Amino acid sequence: EPAYVLGDFALRSTESGFVIVPDRPLALGSWKGLGHPFYSAGVAYRQEFQVADPKGRYEVRLGRWYGSVAKVVVNGAEAGWITHAPWTCDVTDRIEPGENAIEVIVIGTLKNTLGPHHGKPPLGKAWPAMWDNAPESGPPAGHEYATVGYGLFEPPVLSKRGRES
């Protein structure tokens, strides 16, 4: 059976699986490229925006990102979820004059945590026999594991959409 190691650490790909290395703060980019190839829960990205006059409609827009959904929190209160194109969330009711803290929480899927990880499985498909594909010679190189590169690749944008209604 697979073993699951929990804690504050990162992974570095080797010629035979991975080795545990000290954790470092996550930044923009793929979680797997940042040492977290098996992570599937949420990662929060926070940015401050100045709004002089909050009249009008405001939205948070995501550019390049990859995840199952993204939760948007403005000034500590949930504003909504981003689930489909055009990758926006109306945050009008949460915007205040002055500094606004916007947090986007990108959420992955259990694919990275639970697999299957071997035999080049197609994304979105999993059945019991797919977990029988581990190489008999032992763990393959870490970069050969089938995981998904979830993450936020560029900062979110807060934009004003129009005049006061």
Side-chain angles (χ1 to χ4, degrees):
E1 290 294 319
Y4 294 93
V5 179
L6 303 176
D8 294 328
F9 60 88
L11 297 176
R12 182 173 44 84
S13 175
T14 67
E15 289 185 27
S16 180
F18 300 87
V19 294
I20 295 175
V21 297
D23 200 9
R24 60 182 190 244
L26 285 175
L28 294 176
S30 167
W31 304 342
K32 63 192 265 186
L34 295 168
H36 299 278
F38 300 111
Y39 190 69
S40 62
V43 172
Y45 302 86
R46 184 182 167 103
Q47 189 167 345
E48 307 288 329
F49 293 90
Q50 287 292 329
V51 177
D53 183 8
K55 292 181 180 144
R57 310 280 317 157
Y58 285 84
E59 69 182 12
V60 169
R61 176 179 299 277
L62 298 184
R64 290 186 329 114
W65 75 290
Y66 196 64
S68 61
V69 296
K71 181 179 179 180
V72 179
V73 176
V74 179
N75 299 320
E78 182 179 320
W81 294 81
I82 296 176
T83 60
H84 58 280
W87 314 120
T88 62
C89 177
D90 186 300
V91 295
T92 303
D93 296 340
R94 301 279 185 235
I95 297 297
E96 301 171 356
E99 189 169 270
N100 288 269
I102 298 195
E103 192 173 68
V104 173
I105 304 162
V106 175
I107 299 169
T109 69
L110 288 175
K111 159 63 174 136
N112 282 1
T113 303
L114 302 177
H117 296 121
H118 305 297
K120 300 189 188 317
L123 189 58
K125 296 188 179 189
W127 50 88
M130 295 180 83
W131 275 266
D132 293 333
N133 287 329
E136 290 186 23
S137 60
H143 70 271
E144 292 180 13
Y145 279 63
T147 58
V148 181
Y150 296 121
L152 185 64
F153 301 94
E154 56 190 42
V157 173
L158 176 65
S159 59
K160 190 172 185 176
R161 295 189 316 181
R163 301 185 200 276
E164 181 181 5
S165 9

